[in-house]
Amino acid sequence: MSYICRLYRITSHTNIHVGSGKQSYGIIDNLVQRDALTSLPIINGSSLKGALREYCTIMRGGPTDPLIEYVFGKESTRVDKDNDAGKYRFFDGRLLTLPVRSNALPFFRLTAPELLQSMSQFLKEMGYLLSGPAQTELQQIARLSVSPQSALHFDGNLSQQTIYLEDFTHQAQHHSGTTFHHLDNFLGKDLALINQKDLEELADDNHLPVMARNSLEDGRSTNLWYEQVLPRQTSFYTVFLAPEEKEGKTNYLHEFEDLLKQQPLIQIGANASIGQGYCEFYPVEMEALQKGASPKS
């Protein structure tokens, strides 16, 4: 079966906690999900699928809607134990940019050349590239080298200012002669590059925000715990694969993508009732490496 690949940027507009489910015996009780290789924050594909299923079920009016069952599969019940996995394939949300405060702007969006190289390689394995000039700019920025505890920014208006990022000892340097206008909609404005090891440190348990949560009974604390969150404006990228549909059949891909546009924010992870996890899903244009190129199963 041939698949169509879709790329999305996920940007949190509120703090977000997608829990790892692992029990912690340290100060932080509830930890976020992390990549097994880099330890960077991640949104597991199962968590993304579950959040999108809940959103689409609400928007379509119930779990037995044909689109829900086609995309996500049928839910098993006490009577019917069969659990169809669905036709779509959902991949992890991998970290794209992390907001970090500075003395010049409220925050810069930090990423690392290594992350962009990894993303570019992943898309190629799917049979796709970013569209046109965006791919050229992505290759340019991914080739830049950044030393430990250093940073590069691209804002010409700040080229004469002394800029420091929070928790960095060295000044962020302006990188002149290169602009990334076609990547703005993907990576966001106020971009800065740092070394991946530095990014991993800024995203570790000692640096991510931690929120105190409490349960009260008759005005008394009965359960105090601490929960790790990712700050608002953290961005991830993800892809999903949709089967190529024959002409004359219902275009579920078109309907599914329209659903993602109907609400500005989709909730992911825990604590929806206290305003956490509300994210924007932004589609990113791609083009096939060659005509008809797509992953096969």
Side-chain angles (χ1 to χ4, degrees):
M1 178 184 293
S2 296
Y3 286 90
I4 298 171
C5 182
R6 288 290 191 264
L7 171 65
Y8 276 80
R9 184 201 69 209
I10 304 169
T11 300
S12 64
H13 285 236
T14 64
N15 291 342
I16 178 173
H17 173 81
V18 185
S20 64
K22 295 180 180 179
Q23 189 172 12
S24 172
Y25 297 98
I27 296 176
I28 306 171
D29 299 288
N30 297 336
L31 302 172
V32 299
Q33 295 173 353
R34 292 186 178 275
D35 185 284
L37 294 180
T38 65
S39 294
L40 287 170
I42 198 171
I43 305 175
N44 290 336
S46 58
S47 298
L48 273 180
K49 181 180 179 181
L52 290 173
R53 180 179 192 126
E54 181 177 1
Y55 166 79
C56 291
T57 298
I58 294 172
M59 298 297 291
R60 298 287 287 202
T64 59
D65 182 272
L67 180 142
I68 303 298
E69 293 188 342
Y70 181 84
V71 172
F72 301 101
K74 294 182 179 180
E75 286 189 331
S76 60
T77 64
R78 291 183 179 181
V79 177
D80 182 5
K81 299 297 184 181
D82 292 335
N83 188 7
D84 178 15
K87 305 297 183 186
Y88 282 34
R89 304 293 178 257
F90 295 88
F91 288 75
D92 295 338
R94 301 183 184 181
L95 186 67
L96 185 62
T97 64
L98 183 73
V100 170
R101 292 180 295 187
S102 81
N103 64 316
L105 296 174
F107 65 89
F108 278 91
R109 303 177 193 274
L110 300 193
T111 190
E114 297 90 339
L115 257 66
L116 300 180
Q117 293 166 10
S118 176
M119 182 194 70
S120 184
Q121 180 60 37
F122 177 66
L123 294 181
K124 287 180 181 179
E125 291 168 356
M126 294 288 106
Y128 287 82
L129 300 171
L130 295 184
S131 295
Q135 177 64 28
T136 301
E137 292 180 359
L138 178 64
Q139 292 173 332
Q140 291 175 344
I141 195 171
R143 284 198 294 263
L144 296 177
S145 178
V146 188
S147 302
Q149 277 294 309
S150 300
L152 298 177
H153 74 89
F154 308 94
D155 190 337
N157 296 323
L158 302 176
S159 60
Q160 302 303 314
Q161 292 192 34
T162 300
I163 297 177
Y164 288 97
L165 304 176
E166 189 173 44
D167 291 320
F168 272 69
T169 57
H170 299 323
Q171 179 182 342
Q173 302 295 323
H174 175 246
H175 185 81
S176 60
T178 306
T179 58
F180 303 106
H181 299 309
H182 294 91
L183 281 178
D184 275 354
N185 287 336
F186 183 34
L187 297 179
K189 297 182 182 297
D190 303 324
L191 184 72
L193 283 188
I194 63 173
N195 184 277
Q196 179 161 332
K197 292 298 182 183
D198 288 334
L199 186 62
E200 292 171 6
E201 182 176 346
L202 289 176
D204 66 17
D205 292 343
N206 295 320
H207 291 84
L208 285 185
V210 175
M211 303 297 177
R213 303 287 307 281
N214 202 357
S215 293
L216 297 178
E217 188 174 310
D218 296 328
R220 292 186 176 183
S221 173
T222 59
N223 184 21
L224 176 66
W225 76 96
Y226 295 91
E227 193 166 71
Q228 192 176 62
V229 299
L230 291 162
R232 63 185 181 90
Q233 294 302 317
T234 301
S235 288
F236 300 84
Y237 69 91
T238 188
V239 303
F240 65 80
L241 302 180
E244 289 186 352
E245 297 166 1
K246 297 179 180 179
E247 293 184 8
K249 288 192 173 184
T250 303
N251 191 332
Y252 286 116
L253 177 58
H254 180 74
E255 290 187 24
F256 177 63
E257 292 185 306
D258 278 349
L259 273 182
L260 298 185
K261 299 174 184 176
Q262 287 186 22
Q263 293 288 342
L265 301 177
I266 297 174
Q267 203 277 334
I268 304 175
N271 307 324
S273 64
I274 56 173
Q276 291 192 16
Y278 287 88
C279 300
E280 172 197 12
F281 278 69
Y282 180 84
V284 182
E285 291 186 4
M286 295 193 298
E287 57 188 35
L289 281 169
Q290 58 187 14
K291 187 175 181 181
S294 62
K296 303 288 184 179
S297 67

